[in-house]
Amino acid sequence: MIDELNIQEKDAVLDIKNLSVAYSKGKYAVTNVSAQVKRNKVTAIMGPSGCGKSTILRAINKMHDLYPNIETEGQVFLNGVDTSSMSTIMLRRKIGMVFQRPNPFPTMSISDNVIAGYKLNGIKLKKFEREEIVKKSLQDVTLWEEVKDSLNKKGTFLSGGQQQRLCIARALAFQPDVILLDEPTSALDPVATKKIEELLIALKEHYTILLVTHNMSQAARISDYSMFMYLGELVEYGKSKEMFINPKDKRTDEYLTGKFS
Amino acid sequence: MAKPKLKYNSILQREVKSRFIKDKIFSGIVITLSLITISPIVLIILKLIAKGYKQINLSFFTETAPNTFQAMEAINSGNVIPGGILNGITGSLFMVFLASIMAIPIGLLVGIFLYENGTKRYANIVKDITDILQGVPSIVLGLISYFWVVKFITNGFSAMAGSFALFIMMLPLIIRSTEETLKMVPDTIKEAGFALGVPYHKIILRVLIPTGLSGLITGILLSISRIIGETAPLMLTALGSMSVNFDISKPTSAIPLLIWQFYNDPNMVDLIWSSSLLLMFFVLALNLISKQIISKRNK
Ligand SMILES: Nc1ncnc2c1ncn2[C@@H]1O[C@H](COP(=O)(O)OP(=O)(O)OP(=O)(O)O)[C@@H](O)[C@H]1O
Ligand SMILES: [Mg+2]
């Protein structure tokens, strides 16, 4: 599969090896997934509801560690380093996450939301550092012009699409290597969705983007690579252009042609 | 196509009409029942104002309770009763304060613990105990405080004993309101914190508590309004006092204790109403402030 995708060792930001996740003993939601994620590309994870897309994504930044019942097997390497040897704070500084519903911290202002990762971890920032991080992150998500005069207002006053961009800015504030997004546009209207899609394409210049999406046309529009998952298995992984035109697996074909959803 | 004989429109109209009548009847019932519910509280407040306002003056707040002779003399010469209820006001505030500084930290911590461990067995046991505690009659809590604090710790009736009884009354209220408030904070907010690498205890301190802060404060205010009028447990513990007292080991007065005392003295009857009015004012104010906080939060 590696040869097929032409991902060189040095190009693989994430290297997932034999990853399995069980929510309770023996009940696997994800089974034996191996894949490499290429640097500075948008990689989409597709598949029907319940196939394990979110589960994989959350395994990558070890969100499952919070729940003692969940068992994770296999390894994830970030830039060649086994993530199980990294502290969670280091890992999550390098792998940002954006959720399905915009979730800015309701008690924090817009600018505090951007630097929430620093604030909540108790990392002190000098005034000019804080200002620069806030400005840069908001510019990166094309929100700066819209909010630069109301940085001290609560983040929850923004529209849904703006809130989601704020959450992306929050993830960018650590300058991560990878950004994980779990259906980031499913709660947004088409205009806000389009903005986020354009944003993701622009962001891949500096970041690697792994995007779970329900929406096949979204995957086709913005992803360079696509994974198709079914019943916890990674069925097919390839260049999006090739996969959408000429899927190799029958199940992928059936999914793409809408035989099941 | 043949024109339908049935008048579809009139069927709909019939339906709309009957629904309109049903709506009317229903809202009539609701309004009547609401009036029945609010009338006692309105009547109580009106009665308290009518009977109590005479006694409310500056000395009511700045002087201690009169003795029965002073009161009798004033009544005989047609004056208002001299003195006030300063010893009751300070005593109530003092004991509520003491109860609060014990109940708030412990209640918040146990509430957070229950929230975090809600599904575990021992947490459920704690939850059940909390519920039982909430149902214990306040006079029983007074008795417990009498046997523990009055008899063994302060060796006599004391503010400490009174506030201990109030503390046990407050505790389950704060525990449950803390737990309920934290439950209302969406998991997605918590996960946002985790995804930034924030450790668990910092999430609780810096995300959950600030997000639920207004709810936590509301719970505390309501628990205070719940205990500030308690009389029975104080009779067995704080006993009462004719002077202002801020010594935790000495008997102490409280507004409800004074009301009870006034009730037992025919010369003091007028003071019952003004004291009750003040107590009612405290309770209503605490409730209104809580409502205000809640409605702000929901905006
Ligand atoms: N917290 C959980 N506890 C137990 N089982 C879970 C939990 N979360 C997910 N699952 C199960 O794991 C499987 C994969 O779920 P997952 O959320 O990864 O699917 P998904 O592909 O993201 O679906 P969707 O498109 O609906 O978001 C499903 O069968 C689901 O029922
Ligand atoms: Mg999902």
Side-chain angles (χ1 to χ4, degrees), chain B residues 178-204:
Chain B
T178 302
E179 194 200 353
E180 296 302 320
T181 303
L182 293 181
K183 268 192 196 155
M184 276 166 56
V185 177
D187 277 348
T188 56
I189 302 282
K190 233 166 78 173
E191 294 212 316
F194 287 128
L196 292 167
V198 185
Y200 210 53
H201 66 278
K202 285 188 184 162
I203 298 252
I204 292 176

Side-chain angles (χ1 to χ4, degrees), chain A residues 48-55 57-58 100 182-183 212 214:
Chain A
S49 185
C51 69
K53 305 183 294 293
S54 303
T55 306
L57 210 62
R58 294 163 66 87
Q100 186 165 1
D182 194 348
E183 303 189 39
V212 166
H214 242 118

Side-chain angles (χ1 to χ4, degrees), chain A residues 133-198:
Chain A
I133 293 173
V134 169
K135 185 169 178 188
K136 166 115 186 32
S137 309
L138 288 174
Q139 278 172 338
D140 280 354
V141 298
T142 64
L143 195 58
W144 174 252
E145 288 302 321
E146 291 158 64
V147 302
K148 66 179 180 205
D149 298 319
S150 45
L151 290 174
N152 292 322
K153 281 208 187 131
K154 293 262 173 337
T156 40
F157 283 124
L158 300 172
S159 74
Q162 288 175 320
Q163 287 189 24
Q164 195 61 304
R165 278 182 283 151
L166 177 61
C167 293
I168 298 176
R170 178 173 68 191
L172 296 182
F174 274 145
Q175 295 271 307
D177 295 329
V178 183
I179 309 168
L180 310 172
L181 301 104
D182 194 348
E183 303 189 39
T185 60
S186 64
L188 304 181
D189 63 67
V191 177
T193 299
K194 185 154 180 287
K195 268 213 144 114
I196 302 254
E197 289 181 0
E198 287 165 359

Side-chain angles (χ1 to χ4, degrees), chain B residues 8-66:
Chain B
Y8 288 81
N9 251 342
S10 76
I11 298 177
L12 281 183
Q13 254 158 26
R14 209 163 60 212
E15 152 70 9
V16 167
K17 209 178 222 166
S18 90
R19 198 180 290 178
F20 180 75
I21 294 170
K22 274 185 207 149
D23 274 356
K24 277 269 168 205
I25 295 174
F26 187 70
S27 49
I29 294 174
V30 169
I31 290 172
T32 315
L33 291 178
S34 315
L35 284 178
I36 293 174
T37 319
I38 62 169
S39 55
I41 185 91
V42 173
L43 289 177
I44 289 170
I45 293 173
L46 288 180
K47 180 92 173 169
L48 290 179
I49 293 175
K51 292 210 131 193
Y53 82 96
K54 277 187 307 239
Q55 288 293 145
I56 305 250
N57 47 31
L58 187 64
S59 59
F60 182 72
F61 299 100
T62 56
E63 290 174 25
T64 54

Side-chain angles (χ1 to χ4, degrees), chain B residues 131-147 161-173 223 225-238 256-257:
Chain B
D131 284 344
I132 295 168
L133 205 53
Q134 208 164 340
V136 176
S138 60
I139 185 94
V140 176
L141 297 179
L143 274 172
I144 291 169
S145 180
Y146 177 79
F147 282 113
S163 40
F164 183 76
L166 297 182
F167 154 68
I168 301 186
M169 277 195 77
M170 262 180 112
L171 199 54
L173 300 172
S223 73
S225 94
R226 183 69 191 69
I227 61 159
I228 198 167
E230 273 302 325
T231 323
L234 296 186
M235 288 166 144
L236 305 172
T237 50
L257 282 178

